[in-house]
Each structure stands twice: as C-alpha cells, then as structure tokens.
Amino acid sequence: MEKKEVKLLGLWSSPFVVRVIWALKLKGIEYEYIEEKDPMHNKSPLLLQSNPVMKKVPVLIHGGKPICESLHILEYIDEVWSDNRLLPEDPYEKAVVRFWAKFSDEKLGEIAIKILKSEGEELENEVKQLEEALDILEKEMKDKIKKFFGGETIGYLDLVLGWSGLWLEIIEELSCGKKISSDTHRYPTFNRWIEDVNDVNIIKENLPSKDQLSTDFLYIRNSALAYKAKN
Amino acid sequence: MEKKEVKLLGLWSSPFVVRVIWALKLKGIEYEYIEEKDPMHNKSPLLLQSNPVMKKVPVLIHGGKPICESLHILEYIDEVWSDNRLLPEDPYEKAVVRFWAKFSDEKLGEIAIKILKSEGEELENEVKQLEEALDILEKEMKDKIKKFFGGETIGYLDLVLGWSGLWLEIIEELSCGKKISSDTHRYPTFNRWIEDVNDVNIIKENLPSKDQLSTDFLYIRNSALAYKAKN
C-alpha cells in the first residue's frame, strides 16, 4: 500500500471524474477531493499547474506528482495499488478491455456530448449514431458479459462505462425527450448490466443527484444552442 | 519469447501501422505482414473478421487472436515480449508517456489530417493549431528529452511520434507549400529529435518512400477537396 498523499482534482458533474472516484473507493485509497469550481471560465492555479497542457479534470496528484487523463489514472491506480485488480493481468484480455474503453469514450461519450448540444436534423443524425454504437455494445455484452463487463466482480470497464446509465438518460431526456439507451427491448443486456453496476454500493453512493445534473446539463445545452444560433 | 504465429494487417502508407512495424522489428519478432490493399473501398474478409467494430488497420493477430488500435498493440507487444522494454516500468513514468502518446495522436495527428483536407481560411486555422501543438511539444522536449523522447534508447514515445518527421513534412508541402514543423528556429529540439530517430536503422529502413507517400496523400487531398466542393 502506497502511503504518499493522494489528491483528486475533480468536478462533481463529470463522468470522467466519477470513474476515478469509484476506483479510489473500490481500492480503499484515502484521498483529498478538491472541487474545481469553475473549470470553464476560471481554472484554478492548481489545475493549471498540474495539467498545463490539457487544463482538464480529473487530475490525480500522488506524492506531488500529477497524473492526467481518466483512463490513464485508472491504469495508474491499478498498477500502484495492485490489490483487487481492476484490469485483467493477461496482456490479450487487457488489450480487449482497453479497446472497449476507447470505444466507450470515443463513440458513446463524444456522441452523447453532440446530442446534448444539437437539435433538429443534426440531433437526429447523432441519435442514429448513438443507437448504432449501443447496438455494437449490446452485441458485445450479450456475447461476452458475465455479471459485470469485465468478469464476475466489478472492474475497469464497468467503471469506464458506468457513467452511461445516469448521464445518457439525462442527456436523452433533455435533448430528445425520449428514451434511447434505456430501451430494454433493443438493449436488454446493456440495461441489465446498468442495473447490476448501479446496485454496487460504491457506485450508487457516489453518483451525483439526477436533479442537479439535469439542471447543470440543461444550462450547458441552452448555452451551446444559443451560441450556435448566434454564429 | 512467445512462439505463437504473429501476423500484422497493415497499410504501407499508414503512420499508425509503421509504429507497429518498428516495434516488431526492434523487438526482433518474426511476423507475416499482410497488406490491406483497398481499406477505403473494399475491406478484406480478414480485416472485417479481425476488427469488426472499427474495421481499421493496424491489427496484430497473435496465435489467432486479434489486437486492435495501434497504441494498444504497442503496449501488448511490450507486455508479451518484455525484453528491451519500450514503455517505462514505473507507473508514473508510464502515465507520462501515455499522456504524450494521446496528445500526439489527438492533437498532432488529427490536426495533420484536417490540414491535408482543407484550404483557405479553414487551412489557416488548422495551421495555427498545429503550430501551437508543436510549441507545446517543443517545450516538453526541451525540458525533458534525453537522446530520445523516452530516454537514452529508442522507446514507445519515439515510435508513437516518429511518423511526424516524414508524414508532417509531406502534408505541409502538399497543403501549405511551406515548412511548419521543420522550422528549426521555432522547433529546434523537435527537429534534432527527428534527426536522431530517423538515424536509427530500423526506423530509416522501414519508412515508405517520400515520392510514393506524396502521390498517395495528394490523391487523398484532392478527393477530400472535391468532395467538400460538391457538398
């Protein structure tokens, strides 16, 4: 067990931060949480000093050294605190979970942001892309899933993709007014998996409130649409 | 040393493939190279079967199991053939090289593709972004570099970023008609590093010809501009 001081620069509403919180709690690592209060307009000196290139949360600071990018932070945590492994140890299995983590962030994640910030025809196109990405994920989960996406116990992929339950639901409600990902006929395995993940104490005890998140994301949506209308 | 059969599905002009070729050769791993002849219009059954989700090269097939995404392939190669490590073993140092690999692909790589496919004001904006990304890289290299980006011997980051010498030069010549990255006044460390990397036998013996690459990329540029003009 590493004894150096651990700090996490975070933002309560960020799905990239919540996966790091889950990992730290699952591993039983004590840490100081530091909320980045206004990362859009007024970045803190600590954030600018810790992540001068990307200027984004989360940043894990361990013994004074900053680690950036949420997927890299999860790998770092798993390498330094190696009890209760989050990633598989086998190199092939590890490459597979890294593939699905990248897919989750680059497909689901980026499409979700576009859906939040669009309307009309653009929104329709993005919704179609989301449905296709979810089709791919549903197929993979149906073929491979055990209780969790990585195996019988919660692991890396569950943490990486765990945001999709709450965050996607909110984004879909705000932007489309209809359920997409939570369609249990089209995505039965995905929805069973979300239930199982949300049933884990550390996950459900460390989720933001749906109301607060909806308010925050509605503000982001309205600002983005107003900006687009002006430009 | 793993003895299972190794195959690489590649494309001669791809900077994502060349980094895997370099890694295999540096490690002394015997492999069969299979060229994906027309990945844009007519993907091979082997590619579709090996990478059904992204349908992209490179794919490394090891003992019949496919590994996708070039950065994951490099990590896999380094984990399975662990002599002459490409990545540092220390978790913090590993997180740092992963950060710069992601920066290289997401900033330099994506901007380079946009520069190749744009003209006019859009091109000017992308060139500015490229210059800023190179400023960041130059600063990092100036502060941290030894002979190579990862240390005294060639490693992961050199392989990940090694495309930038030849490919950027060609893209800049075709799109802007001027040198950007090879400006040795603005980017002295970056250019010294490129010379050192290109001086390594395995690198220089496994680079495509500049003429062929220029012809190929000019075709991609013209097709992209024609498509934009029509739509």
Side-chain angles (χ1 to χ4, degrees):
Chain A
M1 206 53 144
E2 285 275 336
K3 286 292 178 201
K4 286 179 278 186
E5 191 183 47
V6 179
K7 294 178 184 179
L8 175 63
L9 299 194
L11 177 68
W12 69 273
S13 57
S14 162
F16 301 104
V17 172
V18 81
R19 56 174 66 153
V20 177
I21 292 175
W22 291 336
L24 290 167
K25 301 248 177 189
L26 277 173
K27 293 270 189 178
I29 302 163
E30 281 182 32
Y31 67 99
E32 178 190 352
Y33 178 79
I34 303 167
E35 177 76 4
E36 181 65 25
K37 292 201 179 65
D38 186 10
M40 289 295 286
H41 310 99
N42 186 18
K43 294 174 200 293
S44 74
L46 185 57
L47 176 62
L48 295 173
Q49 178 197 324
S50 312
N51 190 357
V53 174
M54 302 309 288
K55 305 179 178 70
K56 286 190 309 190
V57 293
V59 182
L60 188 79
I61 306 178
H62 184 207
K65 290 179 174 174
I67 299 106
C68 307
E69 300 292 338
S70 66
L71 296 184
H72 302 163
I73 295 174
L74 294 189
E75 296 234 16
Y76 177 84
I77 288 174
D78 209 33
E79 286 166 19
V80 174
W81 292 272
S82 54
D83 290 347
N84 310 321
R85 282 274 180 192
L86 298 173
L87 282 112
E89 295 201 48
D90 174 70
Y92 176 72
E93 294 302 325
K94 208 186 282 181
V96 171
V97 300
R98 284 175 178 150
F99 176 87
W100 287 105
K102 189 169 157 51
F103 175 86
S104 158
D105 277 6
E106 292 188 1
K107 294 283 167 179
L108 284 197
E110 289 184 11
I111 296 169
I113 292 169
K114 286 182 188 159
I115 286 180
L116 180 66
K117 298 180 175 181
S118 63
E119 58 189 347
E121 198 183 332
E122 194 188 346
L123 176 61
E124 273 172 46
N125 286 336
E126 296 299 339
V127 166
K128 207 175 287 175
Q129 304 242 354
L130 176 63
E131 287 169 339
E132 285 169 12
L134 287 166
D135 283 338
I136 290 172
L137 200 59
E138 172 67 24
K139 185 181 177 310
E140 175 69 11
M141 285 186 161
K142 202 178 155 204
D143 292 348
K144 305 259 180 77
I145 208 167
K146 294 175 188 164
K147 181 168 169 68
F148 292 100
F149 200 4
E152 291 297 337
T153 53
I154 194 162
Y156 176 74
L157 266 187
D158 304 297
L159 304 189
V160 170
L161 200 54
W163 64 275
S164 56
L166 180 60
W167 274 262
L168 266 186
E169 188 186 352
I170 289 172
I171 289 171
E172 291 163 11
E173 280 175 9
L174 290 174
S175 305
C176 322
K178 66 170 182 173
K179 292 180 174 188
I180 301 164
S181 59
S182 54
D183 176 345
T184 51
H185 291 286
R186 186 160 178 176
Y187 311 115
T189 323
F190 176 75
N191 280 284
R192 262 203 313 276
W193 165 81
I194 284 183
E195 272 185 32
D196 284 337
V197 170
N198 283 344
D199 209 36
V200 174
N201 282 339
I202 278 177
I203 304 293
K204 68 178 160 204
E205 289 164 6
N206 292 284
L207 275 173
S209 102
K210 190 178 169 188
D211 282 352
Q212 281 182 310
L213 210 51
S214 294
T215 307
D216 194 64
F217 274 48
L218 181 61
Y219 175 77
I220 297 172
R221 174 170 170 78
N222 287 339
S223 306
L225 294 181
Y227 180 83
K228 274 189 187 170
K230 254 203 270 178
N231 290 276
Chain B
M1 206 53 142
E2 285 276 336
K3 286 291 176 200
K4 286 179 279 187
E5 193 183 45
V6 179
K7 294 178 184 179
L8 174 63
L9 299 194
L11 176 70
W12 68 273
S13 57
S14 162
F16 301 105
V17 172
V18 81
R19 56 175 64 152
V20 177
I21 292 176
W22 291 336
L24 290 167
K25 301 246 176 191
L26 278 172
K27 293 272 188 175
I29 301 163
E30 281 181 34
Y31 67 99
E32 180 191 351
Y33 177 78
I34 303 167
E35 176 77 3
E36 181 67 22
K37 292 202 178 68
D38 186 9
M40 290 294 287
H41 310 99
N42 186 18
K43 294 175 200 293
S44 73
L46 185 57
L47 176 61
L48 294 174
Q49 177 197 327
S50 312
N51 190 357
V53 173
M54 302 308 287
K55 305 178 179 70
K56 285 190 311 189
V57 292
V59 182
L60 188 79
I61 305 177
H62 184 208
K65 290 178 173 175
I67 299 105
C68 305
E69 299 293 338
S70 67
L71 296 184
H72 302 163
I73 295 174
L74 294 188
E75 295 234 16
Y76 177 84
I77 288 174
D78 208 32
E79 286 166 19
V80 174
W81 292 273
S82 54
D83 289 348
N84 310 319
R85 282 274 181 193
L86 298 173
L87 282 112
E89 296 200 49
D90 174 71
Y92 176 73
E93 294 301 325
K94 209 186 282 182
V96 171
V97 300
R98 284 175 178 151
F99 176 87
W100 287 104
K102 188 168 160 49
F103 176 86
S104 159
D105 277 5
E106 292 188 2
K107 294 283 168 181
L108 284 197
E110 289 184 10
I111 296 168
I113 292 170
K114 286 182 186 160
I115 287 180
L116 180 65
K117 297 181 174 180
S118 64
E119 58 189 346
E121 199 184 330
E122 193 189 346
L123 175 61
E124 272 173 46
N125 286 335
E126 296 298 339
V127 166
K128 207 175 284 173
Q129 303 243 353
L130 176 64
E131 287 169 340
E132 286 169 11
L134 287 165
D135 283 339
I136 290 171
L137 201 58
E138 172 67 23
K139 184 179 178 309
E140 175 69 11
M141 286 186 160
K142 201 176 156 205
D143 292 348
K144 305 259 181 77
I145 209 165
K146 293 175 187 165
K147 181 168 170 66
F148 292 101
F149 200 4
E152 291 297 337
T153 54
I154 194 162
Y156 176 74
L157 266 187
D158 305 297
L159 304 189
V160 170
L161 199 55
W163 65 274
S164 57
L166 180 59
W167 273 261
L168 266 186
E169 189 186 352
I170 290 172
I171 289 171
E172 291 163 10
E173 280 174 11
L174 290 175
S175 306
C176 323
K178 67 170 182 174
K179 292 179 174 192
I180 303 165
S181 57
S182 55
D183 175 346
T184 53
H185 291 286
R186 186 160 177 178
Y187 311 115
T189 324
F190 177 74
N191 279 282
R192 263 203 312 278
W193 165 80
I194 284 182
E195 272 185 33
D196 284 336
V197 170
N198 284 343
D199 209 35
V200 173
N201 282 339
I202 276 176
I203 304 293
K204 68 179 159 203
E205 289 163 6
N206 292 285
L207 276 172
S209 104
K210 189 178 169 188
D211 283 352
Q212 281 182 309
L213 210 50
S214 294
T215 307
D216 194 65
F217 274 49
L218 181 59
Y219 175 78
I220 296 173
R221 174 169 171 78
N222 287 340
S223 307
L225 294 181
Y227 179 84
K228 274 189 186 169
K230 255 204 269 179
N231 290 278

